């Protein structure tokens, strides 16, 4: 499923984000940038130790929730990994929506700063961090649409969804968003 906005394309794909050959893939990281399970574990396993060596050196203080930092991509096919820190779901009244949108927005800003023409996102916060998939899908797509409308870049934004449920939630949100 794909949608064209000006010169940019937003598309949904079901699969494993570590196999993406785009300019930047986004990691669903934690604020200590210490690695973990889910997407984070898969990216560091496949990308090798140079990714964490670089984030340790450049960002020893970690990264605040709702923001992102960028590194090279080690053995992955992508050129960069953008480590985005989404919020833990705490019921919805702790600023989770704005923090999740911030993680997507900052990732897109970094992609543009580093001349990335294509970027792939996972469904940030919807695994270990427990964000409800339907609302997370809506926020992810609304933030991406808003960004490309304002900036006309990047050329390609892919959402790489692991499960059937994630793909269905993103498809439903994509159909509804104008
Ligand atoms: N490709 C694409 N999506 C994936 C993959 C993959 N290889 N593996 C899992 N997903 P999560 P979070 C989906 O838990 O919720 C880590 O320990 C998964 O099904 O990776 O932001 C970090 O270190 C889910 O829909 O990230 C943090 O401590 C989505 O990716 C914490 O988890 C995100 O799940 C971050 O939690």
């Amino acid at each position: 499923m794909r949608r064209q906005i000006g010169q940019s394309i937003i598309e949904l794909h079901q699969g494993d984000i570590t196999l993406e050959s785009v300019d930047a893939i986004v990691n669903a990281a934690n604020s200590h940038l210490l690695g973990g399970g889910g997407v984070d574990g898969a990216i560091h396993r496949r990308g090798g130790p140079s990714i964490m060596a670089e984030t340790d050196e450049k960002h020893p203080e970690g990264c605040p929730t709702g923001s992102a930092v960028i590194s090279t991509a080690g053995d992955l096919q992508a050129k960069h990994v953008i480590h985005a820190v989404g919020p833990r779901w705490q019921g919805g009244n702790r600023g989770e929506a704005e923090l999740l949108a911030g993680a997507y927005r900052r990732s897109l800003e970094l992609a543009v700063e580093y001349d990335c023409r294509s970027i792939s996102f996972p469904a940030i916060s919807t695994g270990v961090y427990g964000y409800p998939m339907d609302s997370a899908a809506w926020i992810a797509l609304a933030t991406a649409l808003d960004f490309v409308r304002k900036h006309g870049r990047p050329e390609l934004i892919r959402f790489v969804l692991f499960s059937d449920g994630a793909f269905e939630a993103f498809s439903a949100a994509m159909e509804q968003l104008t």
Side-chain angles (χ1 to χ4, degrees):
M1 190 174 205
R2 53 168 32 199
R3 176 121 157 226
Q4 175 127 23
I5 300 104
Q7 302 299 310
S8 299
I9 288 171
I10 297 181
E11 72 181 11
L12 309 183
H13 173 75
Q14 194 169 348
D16 177 350
I17 197 163
T18 63
L19 303 176
E20 291 285 288
S21 51
V22 285
D23 290 339
I25 64 170
V26 176
N27 181 16
N30 57 66
S31 58
H32 305 292
L33 304 177
L34 283 178
V39 177
D40 203 359
I43 285 178
H44 286 293
R45 265 195 310 278
R46 204 179 277 269
S50 67
I51 299 176
M52 202 171 291
E54 185 178 339
T55 55
D56 281 352
E57 192 196 326
K58 291 193 182 148
H59 304 284
E61 72 295 349
C63 171
T65 302
S67 191
V69 298
I70 192 165
S71 72
T72 52
D75 299 332
L76 297 168
Q77 288 185 56
K79 295 185 191 129
H80 301 278
V81 176
I82 296 174
H83 307 266
V85 184
R88 277 175 203 279
W89 179 254
Q90 296 181 77
N93 294 318
R94 300 282 186 90
E96 291 96 326
E98 193 39 57
L99 290 167
L100 185 59
Y104 280 104
R105 206 178 300 117
R106 184 66 194 134
S107 298
L108 289 164
E109 285 167 3
L110 282 169
V112 167
E113 252 173 64
Y114 281 76
D115 284 327
C116 299
R117 292 162 65 174
S118 52
I119 181 170
S120 292
F121 283 99
I124 299 171
S125 285
T126 63
V128 174
Y129 282 179
Y131 209 109
M133 188 62 80
D134 290 346
S135 338
W138 186 275
I139 291 167
L141 285 167
T143 307
L145 275 166
D146 185 59
F147 190 92
V148 292
R149 284 195 175 118
K150 279 191 184 130
H151 302 278
R153 289 193 287 169
E155 284 171 25
L156 176 64
I157 301 176
R158 278 162 68 81
F159 288 91
V160 180
L161 292 330
F162 214 42
S163 64
D164 293 348
F167 189 79
E168 280 157 22
F170 274 71
S171 301
M174 182 103 124
E175 269 166 19
Q176 282 168 47
L177 275 162
T178 50

